[in-house]
Amino acid sequence: MITPEIVNDLYIVQVANENHLRLAETICHEMEESAKARGTGIAKRSPIYVMEKMLEGKAIVAMTLTGEWVGFCYIETWEHGKFVANSGLIVHPDYRKSGIATRIKAKAFELSRAMFPTAKIIGITTSLAVMKINSDLGYQPVTLSELPADEAFWKGCQTCANFDILTRTNRKHCLCTGMQYDPEDHKKEEKDENWNFLKESKLYERWMRIKNRILMRINPTDRSRRNNRELETV
């Protein structure tokens, strides 16, 4: 059982239930508006889909103690539970930079580990802030080939503004970065020093800028060897 968490005597972070169904439309709207504001892609989800996650006990919601919606995240499974994704993280604009996103992600991670203890927990994002949160939880960056091969997984990217980059590179490259928590690798963490994401974040920011510049300028009709050489050079 995942216990609700009271944060700073202001918020409650808990597994969503039928009492939160009324929030589904607002959550989906905020997801879309946030993506537009950042100028990045996001896989769209319908209110019905969000409701299903709530009823399945596969979503986390944050509320103020007075009942106002603060944030949301849900989990999905792929390849018969081999992979679990923490997806759709969104925080209401009035509560951003409060640290609540970290608490929501941590609770979603806890839920994932409880429901699917042997699964690899994955995520794809363009947000450096989310990457840092994931890194603190034990995620490591991975190539896109290490993510689920399930067509349904990649179908969720079709509504993303950057989907053409993913398709024209045969799922080898995108503006998103794949990250993964492997419970087997985690068992060895006391023996091996984990990669320090925060320490290397400046280097990673530079890599993201280079990747963005290259992938966004590629002509969709030009799939020549020249493109591959540019990526390899970087």
Side-chain angles (χ1 to χ4, degrees):
M1 180 178 179
I2 306 300
T3 305
E5 178 184 2
I6 303 297
V7 180
N8 298 331
D9 294 325
L10 295 173
Y11 317 113
I12 180 169
V13 183
Q14 65 187 89
V15 178
N17 55 51
E18 63 273 9
N19 296 323
H20 302 110
L21 296 177
R22 59 185 175 81
L23 301 172
E25 189 169 345
T26 298
I27 290 169
C28 290
H29 175 74
E30 288 297 339
M31 286 180 180
E32 187 170 355
E33 290 302 307
S34 177
K36 289 178 181 178
R38 297 194 313 271
T40 58
I42 188 170
K44 294 181 181 179
R45 294 292 183 258
S46 69
I48 295 298
Y49 185 85
V50 169
M51 289 179 184
E52 289 175 351
K53 290 299 176 183
M54 291 177 174
L55 293 176
E56 292 171 354
K58 295 181 179 178
I60 299 295
V61 65
M63 308 282 291
T64 65
L65 297 186
T66 56
E68 297 179 359
W69 174 71
V70 175
F72 177 79
C73 186
Y74 64 87
I75 69 175
E76 296 177 290
T77 58
W78 308 98
E79 297 187 13
H80 306 290
K82 180 180 177 181
F83 295 94
V84 178
N86 294 166
S87 305
L89 175 65
I90 186 69
V91 174
H92 189 285
D94 293 345
Y95 300 99
R96 289 170 188 167
K97 297 184 179 181
S98 66
I100 195 64
T102 300
R103 299 299 185 99
I104 294 171
K105 281 286 289 185
K107 189 62 71 174
F109 182 81
E110 180 185 354
L111 179 62
S112 300
R113 294 285 292 131
M115 296 185 73
F116 307 95
T118 63
K120 295 178 180 179
I121 305 176
I122 59 173
I124 53 175
T125 182
T126 56
S127 169
L128 184 61
V130 173
M131 292 179 209
K132 289 180 177 178
I133 293 172
N134 286 348
S135 180
D136 287 341
L137 291 171
Y139 288 67
Q140 297 288 332
V142 295
T143 62
L144 298 187
S145 64
E146 295 178 69
L147 300 179
D150 192 332
E151 289 296 327
F153 175 80
W154 297 103
K155 185 177 181 181
C157 296
Q158 289 182 355
T159 53
C160 174
N162 301 318
F163 184 64
D164 69 302
I165 297 175
L166 186 68
T167 55
R168 72 178 183 245
T169 60
N170 295 317
R171 296 181 187 168
K172 293 179 180 179
H173 304 283
C174 192
L175 297 188
C176 279
T177 295
M179 300 193 76
Q180 178 177 277
Y181 172 94
D182 188 334
E184 290 300 316
D185 290 343
H186 191 66
K187 293 177 182 178
K188 306 174 184 177
E189 68 175 357
E190 294 183 358
K191 298 181 181 179
D192 302 321
E193 181 181 355
N194 278 342
W195 177 64
N196 189 328
F197 183 87
L198 297 179
K199 181 179 179 181
E200 304 293 341
S201 62
K202 293 300 181 182
L203 178 62
Y204 202 75
E205 286 180 43
R206 181 172 178 270
W207 159 242
M208 288 296 292
R209 288 196 298 271
I210 293 172
K211 184 169 72 166
N212 190 312
R213 186 165 64 249
I214 290 175
L215 293 179
M216 291 302 289
R217 79 184 182 196
I218 295 175
N219 187 330
T221 61
D222 182 8
R223 303 186 182 183
S224 67
R225 294 180 181 177
R226 171 178 164 275
N227 294 340
N228 292 329
R229 287 200 300 270
E230 284 185 332
L231 292 174
E232 291 170 359
T233 301
V234 174

